[in-house]
């Protein structure tokens, strides 16, 4: 089981109008999280045509990333080729892959690149299969259900969310492969 688990923090919910402000990722190699193989960076958000985007107050309240924090960060045009090299066509995992994957596809297209992992796996969908009677499948609920904890200050920061998502992925896959 070799996958790249990743998470994005953004300026909003629309991949067409909003920008990426942080990318975090870690590899799972042979079924084990390999913290030595991680990717983590702030991103100066840009939109269509590379115009600068500001981080709205509401988004900053969620992830704690301010305009000052990303002022000198590399833009997505610089970050995305590095991140795609890190992914290297491996299957990817995200909590709500539809959201993160859509931002990757739009930003890759804008840069003349292709977001083409071998497969995309979603821990929300895995949680729904593993816990069909549960209503909540957000990352907090999944972490609680699986006995996982976020590092202090790690929730809603890309790498902190990735660490929990990676462990959740492994536990969900184990749970789904074990007969009831």
């Amino acid at each position: 089981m070799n996958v790249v688990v990743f998470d994005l923090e953004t300026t909003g919910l629309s991949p067409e109008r909003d920008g990426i402000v942080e990318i975090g990722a870690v590899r799972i190699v042979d079924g084990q999280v390999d913290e030595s193989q991680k990717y983590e960076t702030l991103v100066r958000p840009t939109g269509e045509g590379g115009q600068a985007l500001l981080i709205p107050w509401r988004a900053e309240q969620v992830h704690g990333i301010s305009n000052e924090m990303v002022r000198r960060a590399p833009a997505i045009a610089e970050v995305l080729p590095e991140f795609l090299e890190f992914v290297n066509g491996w299957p990817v995992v995200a909590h709500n892959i539809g959201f993160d994957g859509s931002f990757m596809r739009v930003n890759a297209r804008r840069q003349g690149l292709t977001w083409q992992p071998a497969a995309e796996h979603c821990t929300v969908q895995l949680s729904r299969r593993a816990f069909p009677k549960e209503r909540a499948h957000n990352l907090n609920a999944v972490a609680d259900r699986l006995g996982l904890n976020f590092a202090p200050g790690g929730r809603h920061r890309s790498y902190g969310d990735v660490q929990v998502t990676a462990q959740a992925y492994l536990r969900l896959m184990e749970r789904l492969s074990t007969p009831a």
Side-chain angles (χ1 to χ4, degrees), residues 2-122:
N2 296 326
V3 298
V4 173
V5 181
F6 80 104
D7 182 70
L8 306 177
E9 299 302 332
T10 65
T11 62
L13 302 176
S14 170
E16 295 294 337
R17 291 187 306 275
D18 295 308
I20 296 169
V21 297
E22 188 175 45
I23 301 174
V26 69
R27 285 194 174 121
I28 294 177
V29 180
D30 297 327
Q32 299 290 316
V33 177
D34 185 349
E35 294 273 348
S36 73
Q37 296 188 53
K38 71 178 189 175
Y39 185 90
E40 182 178 20
T41 188
L42 288 170
V43 181
R44 190 175 67 250
T46 56
E48 186 77 45
Q51 85 276 9
L53 295 175
L54 292 176
I55 300 170
W57 178 84
R58 284 187 190 265
E60 184 178 339
Q61 295 307 299
V62 172
H63 50 56
I65 300 169
S66 68
N67 289 300
E68 181 60 28
M69 291 170 68
V70 298
R71 189 166 53 93
R72 289 193 170 90
I76 195 67
E78 184 180 339
V79 169
L80 196 55
E82 287 177 0
F83 182 62
L84 292 176
E85 187 175 313
F86 178 81
V87 172
N88 196 29
W90 282 33
V92 295
V93 174
H95 195 77
N96 191 3
I97 190 71
F99 179 83
D100 296 271
S102 67
F103 269 85
M104 294 307 298
R105 279 186 288 286
V106 166
N107 281 277
R109 184 187 74 233
R110 287 179 181 163
Q111 304 306 318
L113 302 168
T114 304
W115 172 249
Q116 209 166 18
E120 293 183 342
H121 303 283
C122 182

